[in-house]
Amino acid sequence: MLVLQQLFNLSDEELEFQANDRRSFEKFLDLDIMNTIPDATTVRLFREKLRQAGIIEELFEMFEKHLKSQGLEAKGGQIIDATIVPIRKQRNTREENKDIKQEKVPEAWKKNPNRLRQKDLDARWVKKNNLNYYGYKNSICIDAKYGFIRRHVITPANRHDSQMLMVLPDGENKEDMV
């Protein structure tokens, strides 16, 4: 599901809807009507566990190797782009927000694990075109000719796009970067 999410640039909620609605998604996921498709929260929690374990990049590298083994090696220039992925706004007190900005878990949350599970400590606010967004930024490197996503990085929404220019470009793709 995470591969589909990257390929189609979908939010967790959109991914859940499309996986339930599109037969092509079901087929890719090797599911059928009788299977239970994970909901948006399950996808988010799974992605977070992969990120914490440091293996999400490995997953996408394996997918790219699989594409290469099938003769699908995309190298036709590069496009670097970022998309804000908004999430549900947090309703925190000023003190809780102060702790979060200092990368601390608020004391009251430590005592209540059920509440802590509902909180996202990594998302941040960003202002773009005079609109405020709370969430993440999905920065991607796309093959300009074939449209494959070659690399991606998920960061808090307040991370500036320019910080990804040293991380995202594919050194093997010697074509021009757009």
Side-chain angles (χ1 to χ4, degrees):
M1 287 185 79
L2 296 176
V3 169
L4 287 173
Q5 187 174 39
Q6 288 298 312
L7 290 173
F8 292 93
N9 195 25
L10 301 172
S11 70
D12 294 339
E13 289 78 13
E14 290 171 317
L15 177 63
E16 176 186 353
F17 175 80
Q18 295 298 340
N20 280 297
D21 189 60
R22 288 187 181 187
R23 181 69 186 124
S24 60
F25 277 36
E26 285 180 355
K27 189 172 181 173
F28 181 83
L29 297 169
D30 198 25
L31 298 172
D32 60 30
I33 296 170
M34 301 308 290
N35 293 111
T36 302
I37 295 175
D39 64 10
T41 302
T42 303
V43 171
R44 180 182 64 79
L45 292 172
F46 180 69
R47 183 181 50 249
E48 180 62 19
K49 289 212 180 275
L50 290 175
R51 188 188 65 76
Q52 287 175 353
I55 59 174
I56 197 161
E57 289 81 16
E58 184 179 336
L59 170 71
F60 283 94
E61 287 173 16
M62 288 172 55
F63 181 66
E64 187 171 338
K65 285 178 185 174
H66 174 71
L67 289 177
K68 284 181 181 180
S69 74
Q70 301 298 309
L72 299 170
E73 191 167 359
K75 291 187 179 181
Q78 301 177 67
I79 299 171
I80 307 293
D81 194 17
T83 303
I84 295 173
V85 181
I87 65 166
R88 190 174 304 144
K89 295 174 185 162
Q90 308 284 302
R91 304 290 182 212
N92 303 328
T93 65
R94 288 179 191 242
E95 285 301 314
E96 290 170 338
N97 282 332
K98 185 178 175 183
D99 286 343
I100 292 167
K101 285 181 183 178
Q102 295 175 358
E103 299 184 7
K104 296 182 197 172
V105 176
E107 286 299 319
W109 295 3
K110 290 178 184 176
K111 298 172 187 168
N112 186 350
N114 291 331
R115 184 166 183 197
L116 182 57
R117 270 190 289 254
Q118 300 298 317
K119 296 295 186 175
D120 191 326
L121 301 176
D122 297 318
R124 295 290 183 264
W125 285 97
V126 68
K127 188 171 194 165
K128 184 174 183 175
N129 298 328
N130 286 327
L131 296 174
N132 292 314
Y133 298 94
Y134 182 74
Y136 294 91
K137 192 172 286 183
N138 190 12
S139 301
I140 58 175
C141 175
I142 304 169
D143 185 89
K145 184 174 179 182
Y146 301 100
F148 289 128
I149 296 176
R150 302 204 39 89
R151 293 213 168 118
H152 82 285
V153 176
I154 299 170
T155 61
N158 64 348
R159 180 85 41 95
H160 196 273
D161 296 351
S162 65
Q163 293 179 338
M164 297 297 106
L165 290 176
M166 299 307 290
V167 177
L168 283 172
D170 181 3
E172 293 179 16
N173 190 344
K174 302 297 184 195
E175 301 292 326
D176 291 336
M177 190 166 56
V178 180

